[in-house]
Structures are given as C-alpha cells and as structure tokens.
Amino acid sequence: MSTQLPAHDSIVFFNGSLMPEKDVGIPIRDRGFIYGDAVFDATRTFGGRTFRLKEHIQRLYNSLRYLRIDPGLDPAEMERWSLEVVNHNHPLLPPGQDMWVMQRISRGVESSEPGAAEQPTVLIESHAIPFARRATLYRDGISVVTPSVPRIPPRFLSPRAKTHNYLNLIMGDLEVRDTDPNAWSVLLDEAGNLTEGRGSNIFLVKDGTVTTPRGQFVLEGITRGVVLDLAAGLGLPVAETDLDLYDAYTADEAFLTSTSLCVCPIGKVNGAAIGQGTVPGPVTQQLMTAFSDLAGMDYVEQYLAHLPS
Ligand code: PLP
C-alpha cells in the first residue's frame, strides 16, 4: 500500500488508486448521480474478515453486465482492492465493530461529445454497520409492514440486478416509516405476493418447511442463498415459491435475511404476531446458530451487546 495513505483516516479505492475518503469528489455530471445509472454490491466483515466476497463480486459483475457497464477491472482486481480497503479501514473501527465494504460503479460522466467513450466511475468504500440502532430487532423481532407501493415487475427492471435505482423500495419504506418509524417494509408485487424489503429478503417457516419468494422477483440475496443451503444441510425442506399475506399471517415463524442482518426474526407482519409470538422461533434459532457457526462468530451476540442498558 502507498506510504502517502493516512494511518488514522479511512481510505477508498477511487478510479484506479487508493486515497483518503475525504479527498474523493464525484463529478456533478456523473450518470450515477444524475440518473442512478450505476450498480453496487455490499459485503460485510465478521471480526474484520470478509464473508462471501467472491459471491458478492460475482453478483456485482452480473449487475454490470445487465446494465452494459465495463468497469475496466476484472473480478480478481475488484476483490484485491476491496480487501486493501478493508485491511486499512477495519482496524480504525472501535473494538468489536464490523463494517460493509461496497463497490459502486457508475457509467461515468455524461459526455456532450458525440461518440465519446464513457469512463466508468469506480469506487470501493467501507462504513460501519449500525449495530446499536438495530440491537432491539434481535430481542423483539422485526415489525414488517407491507406498503401500498408494489415492487416494480421484473420485465420493467429486474430486481436481480443491484442497481442504484432504489426509489421503488424507498417509496415503500417512506410510507411504512410514516406509519411506524421502527417498522421495516416488505413490498408486495402486483399480484399480492411478498417480494423483498429495501435491503432484505423475507422467509416464512410453516410446518417445518422454509420458504422464500422466487428468485426472479427479488434480489437473490447472498444471505438468502446461504440460508437456503444451511436449511437444506439441517435436513429442513426448503421451497422458493409464491407467498402472499395469507401465508405470512398463518406462518409459524418468519425472518429477514441480509448481508448485515444475517438472519433476524420477524415478530409481526402488519401488526399481526407471527406464530406463537416467541422470537426467534425454533427453526429461525437453528438457522441463526448455523449462520454464526459458518461466519465464525456469534453475530447475534455482537448485535445484542449494543442493547441500551
Ligand atoms: N433485496 C434487496 C433489494 C437488497 O438491497 C438486499 C441487500 O443487498 C437484499 C435483498 C439482501 O441481499 P444480501 O443478502 O446479498 O445482502
């Protein structure tokens, strides 16, 4: 790593080199800023070690191909620079903290010259996961609310690509948070099936079977994939299938998955308590334990350690 890098400040990778985070300026005509014409991905660390970085980078490159953006770096280079950013920035966090490392690539600056080649903007940055803000979710369960805003259908814009265009999910979130500032939104599709939240996939458990909406209609979360594998490994039947509010209200258990949440129990959907009201339910607990084992640390304890005393 270059010797000019600040020992006590966060760094980023920006358009070809590592530099202090505070020195980055994104041009005002960058298409990511103007149009949301960009993709990103986010990996988390556990005790400073990245988890499933290769899978996240593979998904990033699929998102890039979907948007026809060439980042000018291959996946191995993207991985190597991501690790450089983590290795510099993680030791700057307070003890016991972890972070996301995010790759963000836009189509670059809009050019007025006809036929001018686009130069993508490539940024790799990291920031701390808000453990304290989320700690109570693991004690009480998440309150999920389904807003009236439907998830955009895949033939309009595929949810399988992780792009900077989150307005549909944000509109859902705004509606939900106006009603209950602590609730998390999960959008329904036009047919009334559950899809996903602004940064999470949903699972239901009924009679021991672990179910989640089909991959075509959601971002296929890396955590979603890990949980499907863990459930199968535990001998639990799994199904990717259409699920609606009837399935949610009559489920025995429910949980959200995401890179930072890992597996987090849902307590209520639209105010209705899930199952017997025990959070987490037994299958969810099994999956949370299996996830911690795989990640090499008790991520639930890491969250609960931040509960207000
Ligand atoms: N769905 C959406 C829309 C997301 O933004 C995310 C977060 O990345 C997820 C689902 C969960 O995916 P992952 O488990 O890869 O974080």
Side-chain angles (χ1 to χ4, degrees), residues 25-31 33-34 109:
I26 306 278
I28 60 167
R29 290 199 181 79
D30 191 281
R31 289 177 63 109
F33 179 60
I34 301 177
V109 174

Side-chain angles (χ1 to χ4, degrees), residues 131-188:
F131 290 106
R133 203 167 71 217
R134 296 173 168 188
T136 54
L137 303 176
Y138 293 83
R139 184 191 61 195
D140 306 335
I142 297 177
S143 172
V144 162
V145 172
T146 57
S148 68
V149 179
R151 184 83 179 101
I152 292 176
R155 73 195 170 92
F156 294 2
L157 194 62
S158 177
R160 284 189 278 180
K162 197 166 166 68
T163 75
H164 270 208
N165 192 324
Y166 264 50
L167 276 184
N168 173 231
L169 296 158
I170 288 171
M171 290 309 289
D173 235 25
L174 288 174
E175 186 183 317
V176 163
R177 301 244 161 130
D178 269 352
T179 325
D180 175 355
N182 297 317
W184 287 49
S185 65
V186 170
L187 278 63
L188 302 174

Side-chain angles (χ1 to χ4, degrees), residues 56 59 151 162 166 169 196-201 219 221-224 257-259:
H56 282 281
R59 183 172 68 183
R151 184 83 179 101
K162 197 166 166 68
Y166 264 50
L169 296 158
E196 61 189 333
R198 182 154 69 91
S200 60
N201 293 113
L219 182 79
I222 304 301
T223 324
R224 173 184 178 277
T257 63
S258 83
T259 289

